Amino acid sequence: MAQRDKGLSVERSSARSRRHVHLEEQDPSLRLSGEDGPGVSTSTMISPLSHNLDNVLIEEQGLPRLLPFQSSDPVVTEYPSRLAARQTLGGEDETDEESGVADPFERNWSPYLDLKRNKGAVYEKVGDQGVCKMHKFSLYETATRYFVVGADIMDQRFRILKIDRTADNGSLNIAEDEIVYTKKEMGQLLDAIDDGNRGSGGLKLKCTTWGLIGFIRFTGAYYMLLITKRSQVAIVGGHYIYQVDGTELVPLTADQSSRFKSDVRNAEETRFLGILSNLDLSRSFYYSYSYDITRTLQHNIMKEREACAKNIPYPHPPDYNAMFVWNNYLLQPAMNTLKNTFDWCLPIIHGYVDQAALSIYGRTVHITIIARRSRFFAGARFLKRGANDLGYVANDVETEQIVSDGLTTSFHAPGPKLFANPSYTSYVQHRGSIPLYWTQDSTGVTPKPPIELNLVDPFYGAAALHFDNLFERYGAPVYVLNLVKARERTPRESKLLLEFTNAIHYLNQFLPIGKRIIHKAWDMSRASKSHDQDVIGTLEDIAEDVVTTTGFFRNGDGRTIIPLMQNGVARTNCIDCLDRTNAAQFVIGKRALGHQLHALGVIADNSVNYDTDAVNLFTHMYHDHGDTIAVQYGGSQLVNTMETYRKINQWTSHSRDMVESFKRYYNNSFLDGQRQEAYNLFLGNYIFAKGQPMLWDLATDYYLHHADPRAWSENQRRGYINWYTPAFLEKRRMSTLGPAHKETERKPLGYFDNYWLEYYKPLALSSFLKVFSYKMNSTLRYIPIRSAQEGRYDLSPFKVRTEVDQDVPEKKKAAKKGVTIIDPREEPHDDTSSVKSSGTSATKRISIQRWLQPINDKIPSYHGIMKESHSGEEIGRQKQKMTPLDKSKAAQWTFTQVVHESLNPSVTTHETEDYARYISHPQTLPLVVSTETPTDIDVEYLDYVNGGWQQPVAALDASDDDLVEYADFLAIHENPLTVNDEDAPKKRYKAYRKWLRGKSLFKQQPVD
């Protein structure tokens, strides 16, 4: 027995040494090093399928595997860490959805009896199986290293990343292993690392994560930013989009108790960390493992179709739009070190994502809204206005609405025809500040500071760069909907309107016909305050013109269904690009929604009406979209919503609008500075350097967002005439779907797009009801159940709803079903109201008979609808249920009694006593019942009462100066509106002269 154990230990030792040699050959960075022992890092998550050690041995020997004995004790059949995690989450064993916290990799602490690898087996490399994304990560730590282990969604493939904790300040040492390991091999690697670091504490699990956001440093060592919590918000083509709900910043330094270099922070480092904490990454930040949310659906489909046509092998190199990757600065250290950066680090966007379902008689249509905020020239409201030298504008947000038929999940059509599903449509809009050099000084207390045009460029270089970027992203033409004010007493927004109009006229001179910028200027603020203008009707006409001009995207195979492409974009702006812009974008999106539903064959017309379930759901989504964008840029939610511009529900929304105005003013005055510093630090606009001023010492961040003249002056300038790129003006065309190549024809669909496992998650979900598509918001939730069951409710989401459809009559009817009318011949059992509702609602609906009931003071204890009968032989009769005919007769009898008593009024004894006491009440007012003159009265008032008011004006005791001033007051000039020079000393004429010069009579103006 001893010899057997000795031989086993020798064999295990030799096997480990062979594995170490293999790893050193694959990646020298994973070589053993002193305290770290085997330098192989891993951290994974394995399922309980290989928990039993006997199964591992039988599998290696090629023998049939027997199912392990299942114990009824949950402690035996489940891992302790999983039980602890569930106890931490509240002890719930089964939840309605996937947990927001990742499960750690389950290490098998029992030693393997045989660690030899099968003969002839080779390691799988990254990309061998096509698209294979890691969805879960675990972070392990030793005294000198961090090990990140990633696992795919099925817990079958694992990869490893090693991070050095003892690197010098300013350097990042990361080693990546491109080998894809199995679950058993990953467990062996973790055991080997643990054994090699026994002397320094071994290998410990630090945390679990859903992905890495990136690496950042300030004055010392690097920090690693991790996603610790997430939640599902949408699904597109079977690919989930997640919202970041929790993050953790891990310093890449040794522990303070370690003998290695520990984490020592100075005052500046601590302050930088405090500034970064002002940016809440758990709000409005989104990511996806397998879908590029930085690009539009049209761009993603075109890219995949082009790759299929050119037979480009999978997986493709990522092509993220750096404009919307908010952690681009944090990804730079990893991109400079790792080969497969985006296998570990996830690009995140900032904006808004929402999805809802439209139920149409059992057919489901998904509506998805994705808003992407640009990271260029990003900041708070008054601190970022206009454009910078590179043509990037403030509050640049791209809004995309995807309308898809829920009948098929993936992007692929039957056949299979890759990325040719005709059930997907999309429409893209854009909002952004006016691309001119203008600012607003918010240092004062004025809610609306004056607008200043800092630089007048006769060639409009910033606007030219901006529109050329729009041509690159969306094509031509660009439809500019300008909603700034055109007429103002004090010119503010109108100055920008004139300059922006001149800029567009100048740029249009050189554009080809048909590709020119379409400029539509409309004073929406004045129209909304006018009683004779229809704001929504005007916007509907503009929206129809916009959608027909730019078109929308619809996928297709090119044969049975011709794909439709969107060429151009609607660019909407007001002064803040918030309230008016969101209302206009909603109307344009509503019009596009009608065209998209018509293209999918859902509706016969290409428009949808207001007050329908579909538009109400769409309105709620756009309201949330506008509120989120407004909070990110302005500090408060929308001040003017669609109800304001539709002129409905005005009075109830006034208080809400005032509160949001105060919030916006407070945030702009006191909190925007802190938010701007956090933006500059996270986005990499400010990078710490020795000898340079600190972030908090900068008087302005102008130079952080504008190009250095010494840098761009050496480059070749664009021509003032040829300011655009001709290739960007060409129409977007979809690649033709040809026959599949021989190499890719034999590949399974999962090789190109592994959406099936991501959508259904076999290891996480156990029923269809837990799939996200079954739980999202839907129009079905707003259907009154009782009316639908009785067949009185039209289930179509395109039916215009009135008050009758809102289930109000049903509620009244339900209340009547619980009404008990007390018989006039019986004695009531209590003093409660005769209208007794069977529900628990605090509001009781009172019938018209109750309001018409006369008051009977002779019997105060009776409160019924009917009068009490004085027949003594009917008092003791038992309560009986009245028929509808009896109730009708009782109601008619009650109304007859009311009319009779109205025509023949009578006064009760109690009322007579009250009236007698009223008329006999003592009156103590001397001017009413007495002629005596009181002693404590004013003499001047007494003269006035005695008839002094009848005396002529000359008899009054007035000085000459008073008479002259009074006469001058009564004198009327020939031209009373003309202010002469002699009127200058008068105070009221001073204010009038200021008004004539264009100045405001008020120091402050209300916020829009």
Side-chain angles (χ1 to χ4, degrees), residues 130-141:
V131 178
C132 181
K133 294 290 185 179
M134 292 183 292
H135 289 249
K136 297 177 288 184
F137 303 85
S138 293
L139 179 63
Y140 285 89
E141 64 174 342

Side-chain angles (χ1 to χ4, degrees), residues 631-704:
V631 168
Q632 294 168 4
Y633 182 65
S636 71
Q637 297 180 356
L638 292 175
V639 175
N640 298 315
T641 60
M642 277 302 300
E643 284 79 7
T644 306
Y645 295 110
R646 291 186 64 188
K647 299 179 181 180
I648 58 176
N649 199 20
Q650 287 285 308
W651 295 108
T652 56
S653 62
H654 277 342
S655 59
R656 183 259 182 197
D657 295 347
M658 292 177 60
V659 171
E660 295 304 326
S661 298
F662 294 149
K663 284 183 179 180
R664 186 173 297 183
Y665 171 72
Y666 175 79
N667 283 277
N668 298 155
S669 301
F670 304 105
L671 301 180
D672 281 356
Q674 301 177 8
R675 191 150 52 98
Q676 187 65 54
E677 288 183 347
Y679 282 150
N680 293 334
L681 193 62
F682 182 79
L683 296 175
N685 298 325
Y686 172 85
I687 301 176
F688 170 79
K690 291 184 178 180
Q692 298 296 327
M694 293 293 180
L695 176 60
W696 49 86
D697 294 333
L698 295 176
T700 177
D701 64 346
Y702 176 87
Y703 300 99
L704 301 180

